Amino acid sequence: MKNLIVTAAGLSTRFEGLKPKWMLTHPNGKWMIVEALKDFDFDAIDNVYFTFLQEHLDKYDCLEAITLCILELDIEDKCRCEIVILDEQTKNQPHTVFSTIKQANIQGQVIIKEVDNYFTYKVEDDNYMCYYDLNDTTSINPSNKSYISVDNDGYITDLVEKKVISSTFGCGSYSFNDANEYCKYFEKSSSTSKNLYLSDIIYRMIIDGHKFKAVPVSDYIDWGTKEDWFNYVRQYKTLFVDLDGTLVKSSGKYTPPYWGETEGIKENVEFLNKLYDTGKVYIIITTARSSRSEKETLEQLEREGIKYHNIIFDLFHANRTIINDYGTSNPYPTCDAVNLVRNSNELERFLKDLGK
């Protein structure tokens, strides 16, 4: 029996001033907890336990939202889902896992997944710890991680918290082959240390002769601190891009060249298409052209190979101003403005550093 525990009962101390981190909104509109789990190997899981703190549910009235998040993961046909609510704050993540096991009476293999990162891997049997390589990422704070040494057979030989002993670090998913064995070692470890990590329990088990495999992951993204999260979010943009004079040579309604007749501004189109292809830029074309010109406009966009997500017609042929709010969860500035000389090909020069 494979049981996944999703630990979302922490105090998010590295996200001071914000909501619990798992509630932060991804640019696509979904909460962090959904993004962290969206590509997890649920096909290999029998039961999923989502662990939350009653204090957070009371403060943010978010139980229905949690249910919606589970629906968005679309996993209920693959495995049984259960929400576990802890009445009191736990001392640390290992304590959260222990409390979940006891409260839900979990038996069998226990796999833990944190909510402040994203990666993919295939769930395995037995004891293991997932890892990633420092050489493959620039998006983490090395001092916040646990580091492992691995033998030729792929098993962990040494494990140190918050000290770089190798380029391989634990990245947020752990497996214990037996829930009862985990609880036994947690109780041993918690009696000697309050500042306890899952890596401490694994290390103690290794000392006692248990073997833990090192399992590599792919596509790792770290959201472990507020800075990590905001740096990630800033990679996403919504662009409102004028059509005539910006993406295609300027045209008009009354005199030639008429709407739909002009060629594209090659450099601007190519740059915008590259942004579109990243999957991190949502492009809305804006135009003062009448919606009656939709047919010839869409034909022109297709002919010139311009990629976009949406288009807005019927705007005033006048100044355009974007108004947007900002706050602790979406820091200032939340909008920018770019003004190009008509028909110039300098779009990339103005946008390449936008949002940095």
Side-chain angles (χ1 to χ4, degrees), residues 243-252 256-259 262-263 265 289 317 342-343:
L243 180 55
D244 285 291
T246 303
L247 296 179
V248 299
K249 294 292 180 66
S250 185
S251 58
Y258 297 109
W259 289 336
T262 55
E263 64 181 12
I265 302 173
R289 293 186 188 185
H317 187 72
R342 179 171 291 169
N343 293 335

Side-chain angles (χ1 to χ4, degrees), residues 237-241 271-272 275 281-285 351 354:
K237 299 175 178 67
T238 297
L239 297 183
F240 296 85
V241 187
F271 175 68
L272 197 70
L275 294 180
V281 179
Y282 189 90
I283 297 170
I284 302 172
I285 293 177
L351 286 186
L354 188 64

Side-chain angles (χ1 to χ4, degrees), residues 247-354:
L247 296 179
V248 299
K249 294 292 180 66
S250 185
S251 58
K253 175 181 178 181
Y254 295 104
T255 58
Y258 297 109
W259 289 336
E261 292 182 349
T262 55
E263 64 181 12
I265 302 173
K266 180 181 177 182
E267 294 84 355
N268 293 353
V269 171
E270 289 180 350
F271 175 68
L272 197 70
N273 286 350
K274 287 179 182 178
L275 294 180
Y276 180 99
D277 290 340
T278 66
K280 294 182 178 180
V281 179
Y282 189 90
I283 297 170
I284 302 172
I285 293 177
T286 58
T287 180
R289 293 186 188 185
S290 166
S291 52
R292 294 179 179 178
S293 69
E294 179 176 357
K295 181 177 181 295
E296 53 264 43
T297 298
L298 298 184
E299 288 175 351
Q300 181 183 30
L301 292 172
E302 183 175 2
R303 182 180 72 244
E304 300 301 325
I306 299 172
K307 299 180 181 181
Y308 64 101
H309 296 90
N310 208 339
I311 183 169
I312 301 174
F313 292 92
D314 299 311
L315 298 178
F316 283 140
H317 187 72
N319 179 273
R320 296 169 192 171
T321 302
I322 297 177
I323 302 172
N324 203 16
D325 70 298
Y326 67 91
T328 54
S329 63
N330 195 20
Y332 179 91
T334 59
C335 55
D336 301 275
V338 172
N339 290 270
L340 290 180
V341 174
R342 179 171 291 169
N343 293 335
S344 76
N345 61 359
E346 295 187 308
L347 186 63
E348 181 174 4
R349 182 167 76 89
F350 286 94
L351 286 186
K352 63 181 179 180
D353 294 324
L354 188 64

Side-chain angles (χ1 to χ4, degrees), residues 15-77:
F15 287 73
E16 184 179 0
L18 302 178
K19 296 179 291 187
K21 57 188 173 184
W22 53 269
M23 295 177 63
L24 294 176
T25 303
H26 188 277
N28 66 17
K30 296 178 180 177
W31 277 358
M32 180 192 286
I33 190 171
V34 178
E35 286 302 298
L37 296 168
K38 66 179 182 179
D39 293 318
F40 192 82
D41 184 18
F42 287 106
D43 289 328
I45 300 297
D46 298 298
N47 304 296
V48 186
Y49 300 90
F50 297 88
T51 304
F52 301 95
L53 193 60
Q54 183 68 60
E55 174 187 332
H56 292 156
L57 271 62
D58 291 340
K59 183 175 181 179
Y60 298 100
D61 190 22
C62 58
L63 185 56
E64 288 188 10
I66 290 170
T67 302
L68 176 59
C69 287
I70 295 173
L71 288 174
E72 288 176 332
L73 288 170
D74 193 25
I75 59 175
E76 291 184 296
D77 291 338

Side-chain angles (χ1 to χ4, degrees), residues 56-247:
H56 292 156
L57 271 62
D58 291 340
K59 183 175 181 179
Y60 298 100
D61 190 22
C62 58
L63 185 56
E64 288 188 10
I66 290 170
T67 302
L68 176 59
C69 287
I70 295 173
L71 288 174
E72 288 176 332
L73 288 170
D74 193 25
I75 59 175
E76 291 184 296
D77 291 338
K78 300 177 182 179
C79 42
R80 188 182 69 87
C81 299
E82 181 177 334
I83 297 172
V84 178
I85 302 173
L86 304 182
D87 291 331
E88 297 181 352
Q89 295 177 6
T90 56
K91 297 176 182 178
N92 43 55
Q93 187 185 26
H95 190 192
T96 298
V97 173
F98 174 82
S99 299
T100 303
I101 291 172
K102 291 299 184 181
Q103 186 165 318
N105 192 28
I106 298 173
Q107 302 293 321
Q109 183 179 356
V110 172
I111 299 151
I112 298 116
K113 174 66 177 73
E114 298 171 355
V115 296
D116 59 0
N117 49 53
Y118 167 88
F119 52 82
T120 59
Y121 79 99
K122 290 294 183 182
V123 167
E124 300 190 13
D125 296 325
D126 299 323
N127 299 317
Y128 63 81
M129 177 176 177
C130 289
Y131 75 90
Y132 201 65
D133 197 301
L134 277 176
N135 295 307
D136 295 329
T137 181
T138 58
S139 66
I140 70 162
N141 182 347
S143 63
N144 288 335
K145 306 301 178 185
S146 57
Y147 291 84
I148 62 174
S149 296
V150 183
D151 66 19
N152 292 332
D153 295 321
Y155 289 97
I156 299 172
T157 57
D158 197 8
L159 178 57
V160 179
E161 192 70 37
K162 307 295 187 286
K163 183 179 179 181
V164 180
I165 62 170
S166 70
S167 67
T168 50
F169 61 91
C171 60
S173 189
Y174 315 80
S175 172
F176 297 86
N177 191 48
D178 184 83
N180 293 324
E181 193 77 359
Y182 171 86
C183 290
K184 182 177 76 174
Y185 273 90
F186 168 77
E187 290 174 326
K188 286 182 181 179
S189 303
S190 61
S191 64
T192 59
S193 175
K194 291 184 178 180
N195 191 24
L196 193 65
Y197 298 94
L198 289 170
S199 59
D200 295 323
I201 295 176
I202 293 173
Y203 183 73
R204 187 163 189 163
M205 292 179 70
I206 291 174
I207 293 298
D208 285 351
H210 294 272
K211 286 192 171 184
F212 276 79
K213 189 176 181 181
V215 175
V217 307
S218 302
D219 306 315
Y220 176 78
I221 305 172
D222 184 30
W223 303 321
T225 67
K226 184 163 57 175
E227 291 73 23
D228 292 330
W229 176 251
F230 288 143
N231 287 337
Y232 173 76
V233 167
R234 288 188 186 101
Q235 298 176 36
Y236 287 79
K237 299 175 178 67
T238 297
L239 297 183
F240 296 85
V241 187
D242 183 50
L243 180 55
D244 285 291
T246 303
L247 296 179

